[in-house]
Amino acid sequence: MPRSNASFDTSRGRRGAVSGDIHIDWFAVPHRSILAVVFWMSGALLSFSASAVAVRALSPTFSVFEILFVRNAAGVVVLLAFALARPELRPGLKPRRFGMHLARNVLHFAGTDAWAFSITLLPLATVFALEFTTPAWVALLAIPLLHERMNRGRLAAVVLGFGGVLVILRPGLETLQPASLLVLAVAFTFALVAIMTKRLTRTESTFSILFFMNLMQLPMNLLGVSGAFWQRMELSQTLPFIGICAGGLLSHYCLTNAYRHGDASMAVPLDFLRIPLIAVVGWQLYGEPLDPFVFIGSACIIVGILYSLRFEAQSK
């Protein structure tokens, strides 16, 4: 995989300036690579699903803060090991946009902890379906904040995606419970995080974004940790802890690279595919019933995604 001199960056051909050992990219995306966006978003949705399963498995024993503290600590250790082995990554340990990193990670910390907590309260498919109001917010916020254009394909993906979510949820009194409203707030928070991530990819490497995400959120989650919680760890929990650590790191690595290869409003609707995937996972692992409305709504979502990708391919 080709890379720049200071990151896991897979892009080439940008106009920029070199200052010392740091290459500054002036444009976020030289061209849109639809296959690359699909590849990275597929990795992201699989990793996010693995993280959700790990949180559900660990939540009877550990708090959300403790679970995410372990994830952040593992992320910092792994990324420092990469930097030690690959000197070209070390400039990413010095953020050029500290304020943007901090704002992004405060929002992401709040959203992630609320998301993990909601997984312990609601069926997995319901959490994911509510969370997928995020693309609608991203598409709307990307116009004034990122100066992206809303074309017919992206609009179709958002409208059919949101319509699919409504079919899945069948809005009513059950949907308006506090836990559901919490997930809707998380969706808006994640939309703001997506916008900030896209802006950071213009000057920051994927390595730098991931490193400061884990480094900054580590002490935030430490505030909610009670005592020596690691003494409660058992050998049987090894796999879930591997899942939360690997899934947490890989999901954001894939997601950041997806934003690097395409507009945010093109990449995020692909994440709708998590809904049917997590519905099957919930059915197999936790006996959550397979709601036919989940698959009807998912069909609407997939049609919107395929139309959007076809439109993007024809407009290149």
Side-chain angles (χ1 to χ4, degrees):
M1 181 183 297
R3 59 182 183 272
S4 69
N5 64 328
S7 70
F8 287 124
D9 190 358
T10 55
S11 59
R12 287 287 188 186
R14 301 176 181 173
R15 277 193 296 142
V18 177
S19 176
D21 294 328
I22 299 175
H23 181 81
I24 300 175
D25 292 320
W26 297 115
F27 296 99
V29 184
H31 64 276
R32 289 172 294 177
S33 175
I34 294 174
L35 289 178
V37 172
V38 172
F39 173 78
W40 288 117
M41 287 303 295
S42 298
L45 72 91
L46 289 172
S47 300
F48 276 125
S49 298
S51 297
V53 172
V55 169
R56 177 68 71 85
L58 294 170
S59 60
T61 307
F62 302 96
S63 71
V64 169
F65 293 105
E66 292 165 346
I67 294 170
L68 296 181
F69 174 83
V70 172
R71 187 190 76 168
N72 293 145
V76 169
V77 170
V78 169
L79 292 170
L80 284 176
F82 270 109
L84 183 65
R86 296 173 56 183
E88 69 272 18
L89 297 176
R90 294 173 192 171
L93 299 175
K94 299 177 181 179
R96 295 191 290 274
R97 303 173 67 185
F98 183 82
M100 179 67 76
H101 277 288
L102 181 61
R104 175 190 181 275
N105 284 298
V106 168
L107 284 174
H108 188 260
F109 162 76
T112 301
D113 280 75
W115 174 81
F117 181 62
S118 68
I119 286 174
T120 66
L121 302 176
L122 295 168
L124 292 176
T126 301
V127 173
F128 277 48
L130 283 167
E131 182 189 343
F132 286 124
T133 54
T134 295
W137 289 114
V138 170
L140 293 175
L141 292 172
I143 297 171
L145 298 180
L146 296 177
H147 307 293
E148 293 183 1
R149 58 190 177 86
M150 174 62 74
N151 60 36
R152 189 168 69 247
R154 297 177 191 182
L155 181 61
V158 170
V159 171
L160 286 174
F162 189 69
V165 170
L166 292 179
V167 170
I168 293 168
L169 291 178
R170 301 184 300 284
L173 292 178
E174 182 179 354
T175 305
L176 295 179
Q177 60 182 294
S180 298
L181 297 177
L182 175 65
V183 183
L184 290 174
V186 167
F188 182 77
T189 301
F190 282 165
L192 292 174
V193 171
I195 296 295
M196 291 181 176
T197 302
K198 178 62 180 178
R199 294 189 67 174
L200 280 172
T201 61
R202 295 176 178 176
T203 57
E204 302 292 283
S205 67
T206 302
F207 174 83
S208 183
I209 293 171
L210 291 179
F211 177 73
F212 284 100
M213 180 191 77
N214 285 284
L215 183 65
M216 290 181 172
Q217 293 184 39
L218 183 63
M220 296 178 194
N221 280 305
L222 182 60
L223 295 175
V225 169
S226 58
F229 71 92
W230 52 87
Q231 294 179 355
R232 301 198 302 273
M233 293 182 179
E234 299 177 358
L235 188 61
S236 61
Q237 297 165 331
T238 301
L239 190 58
F241 271 116
I242 292 175
I244 192 64
C245 294
L249 193 59
L250 289 173
S251 59
H252 291 282
Y253 175 67
C254 293
L255 194 60
T256 302
N257 277 316
Y259 292 152
R260 194 178 299 281
H261 283 278
D263 289 350
S265 52
M266 181 181 77
V268 174
L270 289 168
D271 212 19
F272 276 127
L273 291 174
R274 263 198 282 165
I275 298 176
L277 175 63
I278 204 64
V280 173
V281 170
W283 170 56
Q284 286 288 330
L285 297 184
Y286 305 110
E288 296 176 358
L290 281 179
D291 188 344
F293 284 95
V294 169
F295 294 95
I296 295 172
S298 298
C300 296
I301 292 166
I302 292 171
V303 168
I305 291 171
L306 293 176
Y307 178 80
S308 177
L309 293 176
R310 183 170 180 269
F311 186 88
E312 294 286 343
Q314 292 176 342
S315 64
K316 286 189 65 176

